[in-house]
């Protein structure tokens, strides 16, 4: 995860206010057309297979556009309904899931691992790690574990693989004492997902569906990264090869096929949520409403707890938190090195921005930023 750096153009535009579509007679070239044209230029400039951008306010999409293809070298175009891999944006979903259990008093942000995982063998240093420290990346847990090949073996039940991951994690020395410093940890968020499973008595993937996706009518969101490759029905992941996008088959690796098209399922909680833009806007609007004092999936005070920079690290619980002339700005980047996505919320302007591309190249975040800036520009009077 790269720290979110919000562009000055976005914040300047927010200060000026955004226009609402009001003219019943659309211009010859609508904002959608102009954004699509600009997106095509960005795709060429940054060597992307595709780019999708949406800007919304007050539960209304102001402008959205997508350009490019699902698989580089194939004709199938990316559409507004396509599903995007969210990478580390998944952490905000895990934090939200944990918060649902805090609200019904089945968890507390101050609960410790020795109480949450009774009977589990763990190093002494783990015992007093709190949910707060896990959510805010202050647990001292390593960023990632050295991977065990069995964690990729789809013939082994996922619950068995997760148990193996958890056993290994709890015996892995910490990077530093809990609470001492910020240390971004995918392993820590995988652990949070497993804690949710202990409380909810269901797999993490089902819990997200029951407690977030269904209540918010996010009908096409799920957890995973695989698709049927007999047809190109969704965006394929890509790498940059010979200075051009190169598609990776979106299939789970096997002993015969070692191609890695995403992160292992054992770290669901840190990665692997996927959504179309329309569904994601519902989720982002819910968080934006909560930050602005409206009850939604959670109470306003709970949203603000998620969005609060608790330890001065520009990070809340699953959200990057930054101050700007426009007030607090919330967001997160996500990439599994094969895809890239970015979400941005500006509560004072009630503004939502989201962008995604199906490549995780070094310039992917910069390309999305350029697309977002163009969307803001097109909606600024």
């Amino acid at each position: 995860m790269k720290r979110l750096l919000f562009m000055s153009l976005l914040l300047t535009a927010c200060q000026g206010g955004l226009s609402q579509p009001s003219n019943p007679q659309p211009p010859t070239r609508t904002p959608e057309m102009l954004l699509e044209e600009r997106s095509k230029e960005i795709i060429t400039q940054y060597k992307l297979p595709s780019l999708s951008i949406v800007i919304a306010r007050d539960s209304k999409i102001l402008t959205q556009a997508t350009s490019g293809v699902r698989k580089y070298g194939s004709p199938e175009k990316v559409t507004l309904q396509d599903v995007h891999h969210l990478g580390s944006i998944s952490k905000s979903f895990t934090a939200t899931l944990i918060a649902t259990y805090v609200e019904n008093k089945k968890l507390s942000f101050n609960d410790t691992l020795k109480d949450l995982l009774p009977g589990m063998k763990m190093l002494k240093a783990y015992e007093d790690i709190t949910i707060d420290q896990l959510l805010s990346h202050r647990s001292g847990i390593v960023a990632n574990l050295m991977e065990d090949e069995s964690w990729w073996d789809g013939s082994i039940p996922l619950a068995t693989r997760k148990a193996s991951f958890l056993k290994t994690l709890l015996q892995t020395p910490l990077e530093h004492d809990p609470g001492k410093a910020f240390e971004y940890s995918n392993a820590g968020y995988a652990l949070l997902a497993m804690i949710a499973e202990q409380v909810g008595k269901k797999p993490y993937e089902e819990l997200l569906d029951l407690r977030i996706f269904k209540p918010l009518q996010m009908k096409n969101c799920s957890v995973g990264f695989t698709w049927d490759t007999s047809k190109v029905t969704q965006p394929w992941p890509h790498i940059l090869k010979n200075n051009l996008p190169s598609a990776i088959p979106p299939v789970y690796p096997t002993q015969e096929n070692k191609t890695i098209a995403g992160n292992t399922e054992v770290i669901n909680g840190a990665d692997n949520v996927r959504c179309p833009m329309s569904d994601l806007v519902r989720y982002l609007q819910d968080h934006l409403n909560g930050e602005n004092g409206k009850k939604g999936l959670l109470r306003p005070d709970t949203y603000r707890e998620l969005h609060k920079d608790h330890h001065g690290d520009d990070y809340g619980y699953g959200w990057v938190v930054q101050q700007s002339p426009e007030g607090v700005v919330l967001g997160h980047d996500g990439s599994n090195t094969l895809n890239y996505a970015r979400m941005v919320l500006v509560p004072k302007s009630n503004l939502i921005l989201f962008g995604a591309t199906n490549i995780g190249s070094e310039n992917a975040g910069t390309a999305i930023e350029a697309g977002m800036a163009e969307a803001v520009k097109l909606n600024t009077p």
Side-chain angles (χ1 to χ4, degrees):
M1 190 278 298
K2 295 180 180 178
R3 288 299 189 94
L4 217 56
L5 297 175
F6 301 109
M7 53 282 195
S8 58
L9 174 58
L10 167 62
L11 298 177
T12 301
C14 291
Q15 290 170 359
L18 293 174
S19 61
Q20 291 276 20
S22 58
N23 187 350
Q25 297 297 323
T28 304
R29 299 170 73 209
T30 65
E32 286 76 14
M33 293 176 182
L34 294 170
L35 183 57
E36 183 176 351
E37 288 177 11
R38 178 65 181 123
S39 295
K40 289 178 180 177
E41 295 172 0
I42 293 170
I43 284 172
T44 300
Q45 179 181 358
Y46 292 101
K47 298 178 174 60
L48 312 177
S50 73
L51 180 63
S52 299
I53 300 290
V54 62
I55 181 170
R57 189 177 65 183
D58 297 326
S59 300
K60 295 179 181 179
I61 291 176
L62 301 179
T63 305
Q64 60 181 341
T66 187
S67 298
V69 294
R70 294 169 173 166
K71 178 185 177 185
Y72 191 78
S74 293
E76 294 86 358
K77 294 182 181 296
V78 169
T79 72
L80 293 173
Q81 291 74 43
D82 279 1
V83 175
H84 301 284
H85 188 279
L86 302 182
S88 285
I89 291 174
S90 304
K91 293 178 175 66
S92 75
F93 284 87
T94 301
T96 302
L97 175 63
I98 291 292
T100 67
Y101 289 114
V102 171
E103 282 203 343
N104 64 21
K105 301 189 184 307
K106 291 188 176 181
L107 285 175
S108 161
F109 292 127
N110 295 317
D111 284 344
T112 62
L113 290 186
K114 65 183 176 185
D115 295 324
L116 294 167
L117 302 172
M120 285 292 301
K121 185 178 179 180
M122 65 181 75
L123 295 177
K124 181 71 174 175
Y126 277 76
E127 292 183 354
D128 292 326
I129 290 174
T130 64
I131 287 182
D132 162 83
Q133 290 167 343
L134 290 168
L135 287 168
S136 58
H137 297 293
R138 281 189 154 254
S139 66
I141 289 176
V142 295
N144 300 289
L145 290 183
M146 291 295 293
E147 291 186 353
D148 184 322
E149 282 193 12
S150 68
W151 298 343
W152 288 99
D153 190 345
S155 68
I156 301 174
L158 180 54
T160 302
R161 287 182 278 149
K162 286 182 178 180
S164 171
F165 177 92
L166 179 59
K167 181 179 178 181
T168 301
L169 176 61
L170 296 178
Q171 294 300 315
T172 300
L174 298 179
E175 291 287 305
H176 54 73
D177 291 340
K180 183 178 180 181
F182 182 94
E183 185 78 31
Y184 191 83
S185 176
N186 289 310
Y189 265 78
L191 177 54
L192 283 165
M194 294 173 193
I195 289 170
E197 291 179 336
Q198 294 285 328
V199 177
K201 309 300 182 186
K202 293 182 185 295
Y204 168 82
E205 301 77 19
E206 290 184 29
L207 293 174
L208 279 194
D209 189 52
L210 289 171
R211 301 180 74 87
I212 298 178
F213 297 157
K214 284 183 178 176
L216 294 178
Q217 300 181 40
M218 300 168 69
K219 298 178 181 178
N220 295 301
C221 292
S222 59
V223 183
F225 61 81
T226 62
W227 304 111
D228 177 5
T229 57
S230 62
K231 295 181 180 179
V232 185
T233 58
Q234 291 291 344
W236 284 33
H238 290 76
I239 59 172
L240 198 63
K241 187 176 181 180
N242 297 325
N243 214 29
L244 288 173
S246 177
I248 303 296
V251 295
Y252 205 72
T254 64
Q255 292 300 318
E256 295 75 26
N257 176 19
K258 300 286 189 180
T259 300
I260 297 178
N263 282 315
T264 171
E265 296 166 299
V266 301
I267 68 161
N268 288 350
D271 189 13
N272 292 332
V273 173
R274 56 188 184 185
C275 287
M277 291 198 297
S278 57
D279 282 1
L280 192 64
V281 166
R282 291 176 181 273
Y283 171 74
L284 297 179
Q285 187 67 56
D286 186 67
H287 271 268
L288 194 58
N289 288 346
E291 179 66 21
N292 286 330
K294 299 178 183 177
K295 189 179 186 306
L297 187 66
L298 304 168
R299 298 191 304 264
D301 61 312
T302 306
Y303 287 106
R304 287 170 179 159
E305 199 72 11
L306 294 176
H307 303 158
K308 179 181 176 182
D309 181 2
H310 294 268
H311 303 290
D313 300 314
D314 293 339
Y315 203 91
Y317 292 162
W319 292 81
V320 174
V321 183
Q322 293 184 335
Q323 294 297 324
S324 77
E326 185 63 11
V328 69
V329 179
L330 306 168
H332 214 289
D333 282 15
S335 176
N336 63 352
T337 74
L338 302 164
N339 303 273
Y340 205 106
R342 173 174 290 180
M343 63 177 182
V344 178
L345 302 183
V346 187
K348 187 176 179 181
S349 301
N350 206 13
L351 175 68
I352 293 168
L353 282 159
F354 174 76
T357 180
N358 51 334
I359 190 170
S361 58
E362 183 178 350
N363 292 325
T366 303
I368 290 172
E369 185 174 290
M372 286 183 169
E374 192 66 26
V376 171
K377 181 179 175 182
L378 289 169
N379 287 278
T380 304

